[in-house]
Structures are given as structure tokens and as C-alpha cells.
Amino acid sequence: MTVLQEYKCPCCGGAIAFDSGVQKMKCPYCDTEFDVETLKSYDNILKEEPAEDLSWESSAGRPFEEGETDGLNTYLCKSCGGEIVGDENTGATTCPFCGNPVILMGRFAGELKPDYVIPFKLDKAAAKAALMRHYAGKRLLPRVFKDQNHINEIKGIYVPFWLFDADVEASIRYKATRITAWSDSNYDYTKTSFYSVVRGGKVGFSHVPVDGSSQMADDLMESIEPYDFSEAVDFRTAYLTGYLADKYDVDEKQSVDRANERIKRTTQDAFAETVHGYATVLPESAAIKVKNGKAKYALYPVWILNTEWNGNKYTFAMNGQTGKMVGNLPVDGGAFVKWLILLTVLGSAFIFGVFLLLWLI
């Protein structure tokens, strides 16, 4: 059996071959030359790099005790499919996800009991004030959108989150360059040197949140982070009084990929910040191994607002612990045109001023 060995250029990734003229391996694309022994060592390094291991061994939540769910009812939205939980006195007349009416379905049953809950720290008045601050300074926001009537649609809801703990071992290799420039009486010269930079180490992660509700967009929930987990307490159904609680429909195993993605990205960013002194730095490979993975189930407080403008629905979310508000805003088309005309006029005036100044000079 014939085995073909192909070497890749560490600088540009092109296939390289032995050049008899210089008695070295040479890349035909970037003209970089290598000793054979250097390439052999580099190839051995690549073969020895560990593979990624992002597996988890974890469990979260625990069964509800007998009688603990008495007084809890579930509501199902027939429009978006959202399922929420409230106490027996909850007047759940609209869905916090889409704003449509919800229907009382029956007693709460069949779900894991959360391990932790972060109680609401900010009330509805604080949520209204945060939304008005979010509106402030938005010149292109339609005036009617700022009407107080929209704010009354805010609802407090406990959103299910899976919290992941892990120890991470990582080895990341970067392709880096340094550029040297000089000149003589005839030419300007530029020399680009290529380097293989390796970073390895360990990182610990605690309570990496992944929301367990398909009704909540991951990017929206991540945008209102962080939460202060030091204020989390053991779950009690009493914390649901006066609020709604979303039942998770994305379980722990389905959330692992999202957790791994967040852990991997954060690890890569942290290691990249340690690479200094180069003109360019590009990641080439990353081996990340997760150890001691554990997950817990928690409810986090979120204020949700759904409203409509010109047939489009807009969702806003506020961290019920810190007050951080996020959400997209509509644009007043008329105001946008006015601002565009104004900017065009100002831009034309500026260009005319520059030409006039140059002409006078």
C-alpha cells in the first residue's frame, strides 16, 4: 500500500514540496522555506494535539415533594404554545411571550423542582422607568410608541435556566506575524515573519446560564446578563406568588451544546488576550476538554414586554435583579427621511467647505 504524506505551509496553509535548488521545503505560494527537520517537528506537534472533549456528566433539579405544587396552575397559549405557571390567584389573561390570551389548563404537574431561584428585586414601577430610559434619546422612535398604555403590558416572569459548572483544560494554537519595514536609497522593504504561538492552561466556570425555554430567544436572555448568583436562594413555590413562571421545554441535555459553545468561546477569548507583541494573530486550532461538568436548574427573574407597531411585534426584556433592559425599537419612517435629508445637506456643506478651503489655499 502506498502512503502519501502531504505537508502544509504553517504560514499560508498551502501544500509545500522539497526544492532541490535550495535543498529545503518551499511553499510555492508565499515562498517561505523550511528545514525538513523543522517541518517534521511541526507535524509531530499537530499529531500530539489533544482532541476536544465537551462531554458532561451532570444532573439538575429534583422531584417536587408531596403537596408542594398545590395551588399552582398551568396556562397554555394556543397562539405561540408558551406554557407558564402561576399560583391559584394569578390573573393570567395574556401570554407574556406574544400578548395573546391564555387558557387555564389545570394543575401544575410532571416537571422537576428548581434547585435555586433568584427572587425579583425590582418591581413593575422600576421596569416601567427602565423602559422609559430605554426610549430616551431615540430620535427616530415613533412618538405613539412611547405612550404609557404600552407599558401596562409588562409582566414579571421567572424564566427557567440550566446553570453549568465546569473545569476546562485547553490548548490553543495561533498563527501570528511580525512585520519589519526598512528602506534604502533604492527600495522600500517589508519583512513578514510567521510564528506558531501555543497557549495552554485551565479555566474554571461557575453557573454558566442557558435558558430552558424555547419561547425565549437565547440572544435576548444573554443580553440581560449577568445575574448575581450570590443572591440565589433555595427554591420555594412561595416565590412564584404574584408572578408567572415559564416551564422549561428545553431540557438539560438539549442545553449542553449551548453551554459548551459559551464556555468554548469564553475560553478562546481569554487565551487570545494573553497573546501580545504581534502584528496579526489568527487561531489555528483549539482543543478544549471539559471536566467535572455539573448542571443545576434555576429560575431567574425577567420583566417581559410585548407590544406591536405597524403590524410588527416587539419584545423587551429586563433583568428583574439588576434592571438591565434590552430590546429592538421601531423606526419612524418620516423622522428617518428628515434626518437623512439633514445629514445629506450637512455632508454636502462640509464637502463644499473643504473644497473652498483648498481653493483659498
Side-chain angles (χ1 to χ4, degrees), residues 38-336:
T38 300
L39 276 180
K40 184 177 180 180
S41 299
Y42 179 75
D43 188 55
N44 290 334
I45 292 174
L46 297 185
K47 292 179 179 178
E48 293 173 0
E49 285 185 346
E52 286 193 342
D53 182 0
L54 303 176
S55 59
W56 290 79
E57 292 182 6
S58 55
S59 61
R62 53 191 185 277
F64 280 99
E65 298 176 4
E66 184 177 355
E68 191 172 2
T69 62
D70 291 349
L72 294 183
N73 297 317
T74 58
Y75 300 78
L76 179 66
C77 176
K78 289 191 174 181
S79 178
C80 71
E83 188 173 6
I84 55 180
V85 180
D87 62 24
E88 57 189 356
N89 298 316
T90 299
T93 58
T94 58
C95 175
F97 305 114
C98 67
N100 289 321
V102 295
I103 300 173
L104 176 63
M105 296 300 293
R107 294 264 178 186
F108 177 91
E111 296 294 337
L112 290 176
K113 175 182 176 180
D115 297 298
Y116 305 106
V117 59
I118 294 182
F120 273 89
K121 197 171 183 179
L122 300 173
D123 60 14
K124 189 173 184 178
K128 291 181 179 181
L131 185 62
M132 296 309 295
R133 290 194 298 271
H134 189 64
Y135 289 166
K138 309 297 193 301
R139 295 182 179 273
L140 300 182
L141 184 67
R143 290 184 180 180
V144 69
F145 195 81
K146 301 178 183 179
D147 194 309
Q148 288 284 335
N149 291 331
H150 293 281
I151 301 177
N152 291 333
E153 296 174 0
I154 286 183
K155 294 185 181 295
I157 180 170
Y158 282 107
V159 177
F161 280 87
W162 301 104
L163 309 181
F164 293 89
D165 297 348
D167 296 322
V168 174
E169 292 183 3
S171 177
I172 303 178
R173 182 164 48 84
Y174 304 89
K175 180 194 294 184
T177 63
R178 284 181 180 148
I179 300 175
T180 306
W182 70 95
S183 302
D184 59 22
S185 58
N186 296 317
Y187 300 101
D188 294 328
Y189 301 91
T190 300
K191 176 184 177 183
T192 302
S193 301
F194 294 86
Y195 299 87
S196 181
V197 182
V198 178
R199 290 290 186 268
K202 299 180 180 180
V203 184
F205 289 86
S206 297
H207 310 123
V208 177
V210 177
D211 81 81
S213 170
S214 62
Q215 303 300 319
M216 294 292 189
D218 288 336
D219 55 354
L220 185 66
M221 290 297 96
E222 291 174 8
S223 295
I224 61 174
E225 294 178 10
Y227 284 89
D228 182 1
F229 188 79
S230 67
E231 295 182 350
V233 296
D234 291 339
F235 175 79
R236 295 289 184 273
T237 55
Y239 289 110
L240 299 183
T241 305
Y243 299 97
L244 303 174
D246 188 17
K247 291 175 65 177
Y248 74 83
D249 57 0
V250 180
D251 63 26
E252 174 192 347
K253 292 182 179 179
Q254 292 172 307
S255 301
V256 165
D257 287 344
R258 185 72 176 183
N260 284 336
E261 178 186 337
R262 301 197 72 186
I263 288 172
K264 182 177 179 179
R265 183 171 64 247
T266 302
T267 300
Q268 290 172 332
D269 291 344
F271 280 36
E273 291 177 357
T274 69
V275 183
H276 306 288
Y278 298 95
T280 62
V281 177
L282 295 175
E284 271 196 306
S285 68
I288 297 175
K289 181 178 293 186
V290 174
K291 293 184 176 181
N292 305 320
K294 299 178 181 178
K296 292 295 184 181
Y297 174 31
L299 297 180
Y300 279 1
V302 180
W303 286 100
I304 294 292
L305 167 66
N306 284 284
T307 191
E308 292 188 7
W309 172 252
N310 285 346
N312 297 315
K313 291 186 178 181
Y314 295 88
T315 299
F316 300 88
M318 190 191 86
N319 186 313
Q321 181 190 40
T322 67
K324 184 178 180 181
M325 173 75 73
V326 298
N328 295 327
L329 293 169
V331 175
D332 187 329
F336 175 76

Side-chain angles (χ1 to χ4, degrees), residues 1-7:
M1 181 178 64
T2 301
V3 178
L4 298 179
Q5 174 68 52
E6 182 182 41
Y7 288 96

